[in-house]
Amino acid sequence: MAFSKFSLIISLLLSSTLFLCHPVLSDNEEDNLYSEINKYRKSLNLTTLTKNDNAECLAGELADQFKNQPCTNTTGANTVPGTEPQLPNYPNLLAKCHLNVSITRDGAVMPACVPGLDPSLVLTNFTKSLYSENLNDTKFSGIGIGSDDNWIVVVLTTSNPEGSYSPAVASGADMISKISLTYCSILLLLLGNMLML
Ligand SMILES: *[C@@H]1O[C@H](CO)[C@@H](O)[C@H](O)[C@H]1NC(C)=O
Ligand SMILES: *[C@@H]1O[C@H](CO)[C@@H](O)[C@H](O)[C@H]1NC(C)=O
Ligand SMILES: *[C@@H]1O[C@H](CO)[C@@H](O)[C@H](O)[C@H]1NC(C)=O
Ligand SMILES: *[C@@H]1O[C@H](CO)[C@@H](O)[C@H](O)[C@H]1NC(C)=O
Ligand SMILES: *[C@@H]1O[C@H](CO)[C@@H](O)[C@H](O)[C@H]1NC(C)=O
């Protein structure tokens, strides 16, 4: 009896953990680029860029906007760095990610189009192009990466308010995602302990 209760609890925990914790797992291309960019930074004795959720949100929204445009010799790393994407709905995309122009103006938005997101081409599109000027820059401290189809977008953030990508007040959606992340970690911990019994 005790045993079946125990296994019921285990399976409940397991399924809710799998269900809730799924979004925590993220894309390979993005994670790969994230660690490669930080290796590049390390090789230049620069600080590690930490993940910024709002920057990541914006990068994802932008990649989604670009995805239907084919790669040409004027897209991607060939676009002039430092220029914000000229999209008419850019303010809406910012708002979707709890951002506005006054807290993103010092950041850098770098889209690149690479067929199939080939990892080595993706990396050199950032490290061996004019974009490297931003990657070399000590003023950046945070990063968000998003991709869709052949497009990958890197957004860099600073530690000053004008490029922090940090809204003053955490929104409801942020709170919920923080709470579910915490819940997730606790469940995983519990599960780990139970399996060790
Ligand atoms: C990074 O720091 C190490 C140790 O201080 C030094 O040997 C190396 O030349 C530095 N590299 C760069 C690119 O500045
Ligand atoms: C892009 O490619 C077109 C056609 O292949 C060529 O005419 C043009 O000069 C190229 N532009 C750049 C900036 O390389
Ligand atoms: C960037 O990616 C394109 C493919 O879209 C590739 O042709 C080009 O060589 C890459 N540029 C660099 C600097 O790696
Ligand atoms: C960034 O730093 C690398 C390594 O020092 C260098 O090769 C590259 O030219 C720099 N990029 C720019 C745009 O200055
Ligand atoms: C942008 O967001 C910041 C922080 O949330 C806020 O203080 C500021 O008033 C906003 N600016 C505009 C122009 O909406």
Side-chain angles (χ1 to χ4, degrees):
M1 194 61 196
F3 180 75
S4 75
K5 247 185 207 158
F6 181 69
S7 54
L8 180 71
I9 290 172
I10 290 262
S11 60
L12 271 180
L13 273 179
L14 188 63
S15 46
S16 65
T17 305
L18 287 179
F19 175 73
L20 268 166
C21 304
H22 174 74
V24 176
L25 310 168
S26 52
D27 283 31
N28 280 338
E29 287 88 4
E30 294 157 20
D31 276 349
N32 180 57
L33 183 59
Y34 172 73
S35 65
E36 290 298 329
I37 284 178
N38 273 327
K39 275 186 208 158
Y40 174 83
R41 297 264 303 179
K42 196 167 187 185
S43 75
L44 299 178
N45 291 340
L46 296 169
T47 55
T48 301
L49 300 172
T50 56
K51 286 186 184 172
N52 177 304
D53 287 346
N54 295 330
E56 184 175 324
C57 168
L58 181 64
E61 291 294 332
L62 288 171
D64 185 53
Q65 297 290 309
F66 291 135
K67 72 176 173 210
N68 294 321
Q69 296 179 31
C71 298
T72 70
N73 61 1
T74 54
T75 54
N78 302 310
T79 24
V80 182
T83 55
E84 302 272 82
Q86 301 299 305
L87 296 167
N89 59 344
Y90 193 57
N92 298 343
L93 301 179
L94 285 176
K96 237 179 173 173
C97 298
H98 321 298
L99 295 168
N100 66 35
V101 71
S102 45
I103 53 174
T104 57
R105 128 176 88 220
D106 279 1
V109 174
M110 306 185 285
C113 193
V114 176
L117 293 183
D118 175 89
S120 60
L121 275 182
V122 165
L123 181 63
T124 53
N125 261 272
F126 290 96
T127 56
K128 299 266 188 324
S129 70
L130 282 176
Y131 283 159
S132 70
E133 191 179 333
N134 291 329
L135 296 182
N136 292 359
D137 199 327
T138 53
K139 85 172 178 190
F140 295 110
S141 57
I143 186 169
I145 303 176
S147 64
D148 206 325
D149 202 20
N150 291 332
W151 285 88
I152 190 156
V153 179
V154 173
V155 174
L156 299 181
T157 71
T158 65
S159 3
N160 62 323
E162 292 75 25
S164 65
Y165 280 63
S166 302
V169 190
S171 73
D174 281 342
M175 288 299 287
I176 287 167
S177 84
K178 287 224 174 70
I179 289 168
S180 88
L181 199 68
T182 311
Y183 180 61
C184 236
S185 324
I186 292 172
L187 279 182
L188 281 172
L189 208 68
L190 276 178
L191 202 62
N193 282 336
M194 283 185 146
L195 291 178
M196 276 196 280
L197 285 178

